[in-house]
């Protein structure tokens, strides 16, 4: 199948050094496979989005010479597709209405002898699986069952017991917003994405997304999760901890720093197009090597 990759930033702020690593890796992998590279602005969580950030991110990518091969998709325009997917899942009995508040979930977990730990995953105990029993519908959840195994091209074999570690998870929130998991899976399928290349902080979502792909009967792409850039305090660089936006007065320096995180050796080149071409050759060399660090995987 012809390779189709994507970079899918949430416009909650500008790109920083960490997000450029994922953007560059997804672009390089698409180019090295002779495939298409798409950009999708994930503005489904409107309250978290910053006005103008989507356009600004596209301008940052363009300044780095990273141009999408097809028109950019914006998730705010995709509501009907998400509603249709929810409808299908509900009709098939794979998604159901949940009337639990967070306090209800905590009370049910405590009653079951598994109190929710601060910062821990709030594993949904399945209270509304058998029906609302008089509760008002709030969220919509996906019914999950058992363990998901998958192979990451960089991290190797991965496994998550979704039922035990996550529980039936939210597809539509109580405030009516569609969850990231639903939007990303519906859009990756609609865009025919064969390869997801993104930051390692998102690896933990993969099992949920595979479960959702199976429930919807759509293909699961291959995955490659890229190394994170750490702030001086050792935490992942993120918009939340105030990572500085990329300084694009010198895009080559920003790209060289991103390439170094990926372990890429790119010969110094005079111009941006020359540097990018050399980086594609370096990336292609890695994936063609017998001890390929980025496995072609399943
Ligand atoms: N929009 C997500 C984020 O910026 C990334 C989604 C993805 O690549 O799957 O965190």
């Amino acid at each position: 199948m012809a390779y189709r990759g994507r970079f899918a930033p949430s416009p909650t702020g500008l790109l920083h050094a960490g997000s450029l690593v994922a953007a560059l890796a997804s672009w390089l992998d698409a180019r090295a496979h002779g495939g298409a590279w798409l950009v999708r602005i994930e503005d489904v969580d409107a309250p978290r989005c910053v006005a103008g950030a989507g356009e600004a991110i596209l301008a940052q990518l363009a300044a780095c010479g990273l141009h999408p091969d097809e028109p950019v998709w914006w998730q705010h325009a995709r509501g009907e597709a998400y509603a249709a997917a929810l409808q299908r899942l509900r009709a098939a009995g794979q998604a159901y209405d949940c009337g639990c508040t967070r306090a209800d979930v905590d009370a049910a977990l405590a009653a079951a002898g598994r109190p929710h730990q601060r910062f821990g995953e709030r594993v949904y105990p399945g209270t509304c699986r058998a029906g609302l029993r008089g509760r008002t519908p709030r969220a919509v959840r996906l019914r999950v069952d058992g363990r998901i195994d998958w192979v990451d091209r960089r991290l190797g074999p991965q496994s998550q017991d979704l039922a035990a570690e996550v529980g039936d998870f939210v597809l539509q929130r109580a405030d009516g917003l569609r969850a990231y998991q639903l939007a990303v899976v519906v859009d990756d399928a609609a865009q025919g994405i064969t390869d997801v290349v993104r930051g390692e902080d998102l690896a933990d979502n993969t099992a949920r997304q595979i479960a959702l792909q199976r429930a919807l009967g759509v293909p699961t792409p291959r995955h490659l999760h890229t190394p994170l850039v750490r702030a001086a305090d050792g935490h992942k660089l993120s918009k939340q901890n105030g990572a500085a936006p990329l300084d694009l007065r010198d895009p080559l320096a920003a790209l060289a720093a991103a390439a170094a995180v990926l372990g890429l050796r790119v010969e110094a080149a005079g111009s941006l197009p020359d540097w990018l071409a050399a980086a594609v050759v370096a990336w292609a060399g890695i994936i063609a090597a017998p001890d390929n660090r980025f496995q072609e995987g399943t």
Side-chain angles (χ1 to χ4, degrees):
M1 206 193 323
Y3 183 111
R4 289 172 69 78
R6 79 334 184 247
F7 176 56
S10 302
T12 53
L14 291 173
L15 298 183
H16 52 71
S19 28
L20 185 62
V21 173
L24 177 63
S26 65
W27 183 87
L28 288 171
D29 202 47
R31 285 290 170 272
H33 283 90
W37 185 69
L38 281 54
V39 174
R40 184 171 72 227
I41 302 292
E42 301 213 313
D43 54 353
V44 71
D45 188 351
R48 285 187 57 228
C49 294
V50 173
E55 291 80 359
I57 288 172
L58 296 174
Q60 288 182 300
L61 292 171
C64 290
L66 307 179
H67 302 285
D69 295 316
E70 295 181 8
V72 173
W73 279 30
W74 295 72
Q75 289 190 327
H76 71 251
R78 298 274 304 146
E80 282 177 23
Y82 308 146
L86 277 176
Q87 177 66 29
R88 272 175 55 202
L89 292 168
R90 268 204 171 104
Q94 282 168 308
Y96 62 89
D97 287 334
C98 172
C100 296
T101 61
R102 198 169 281 200
D104 293 335
V105 175
D106 287 350
L109 289 173
R114 292 181 278 127
H116 171 242
Q117 308 291 329
R118 201 165 171 229
F119 304 125
E121 183 84 40
R122 193 175 257 105
V123 180
Y124 184 63
T127 319
C128 292
R129 266 193 173 206
L132 285 167
R133 294 201 206 100
R135 290 187 196 84
T136 309
R138 293 168 53 83
V140 179
R141 291 183 183 272
L142 184 78
R143 198 180 284 275
V144 302
D145 206 8
R147 182 173 284 282
I148 300 277
D149 296 309
W150 55 282
V151 179
D152 185 90
R153 290 171 53 199
R154 173 173 153 261
L155 303 172
Q158 308 286 312
S159 182
Q160 188 176 40
D161 184 341
L162 270 188
E165 295 172 42
V166 177
D168 296 346
F169 61 86
V170 170
L171 300 176
Q172 180 170 289
R173 302 180 346 194
D175 59 9
L177 288 178
R178 275 58 183 256
Y180 154 66
Q181 311 291 0
L182 178 73
V184 82
V185 164
V186 169
D187 287 347
D188 280 343
Q191 296 193 286
I193 298 302
T194 60
D195 287 76
V196 168
V197 178
R198 61 185 176 191
E200 195 177 321
D201 53 324
L202 293 161
D204 186 46
N205 293 289
T206 308
R208 271 171 268 205
Q209 292 168 8
I210 292 173
L212 190 46
Q213 282 150 359
R214 291 181 185 167
L216 285 167
V218 299
T220 290
R222 298 185 303 176
H223 291 90
L224 190 168
H225 288 92
T226 55
L228 302 181
V229 178
R230 306 259 163 212
D233 64 1
H235 286 101
K236 172 187 94 95
L237 208 58
S238 73
K239 294 163 199 159
Q240 285 71 30
N241 66 18
L246 288 173
D247 178 359
L248 290 174
R249 282 168 303 183
D250 187 358
L252 270 179
L255 286 164
V261 173
L262 293 166
L264 269 193
R265 221 179 273 276
V266 183
E267 295 308 320
S271 72
L272 190 55
D274 287 349
W275 187 91
L276 287 168
V280 173
V281 172
W283 187 273
I286 290 181
I287 61 179
D291 61 346
N292 174 12
R293 283 193 286 125
F294 301 146
Q295 297 297 324
E296 293 301 294
T298 51

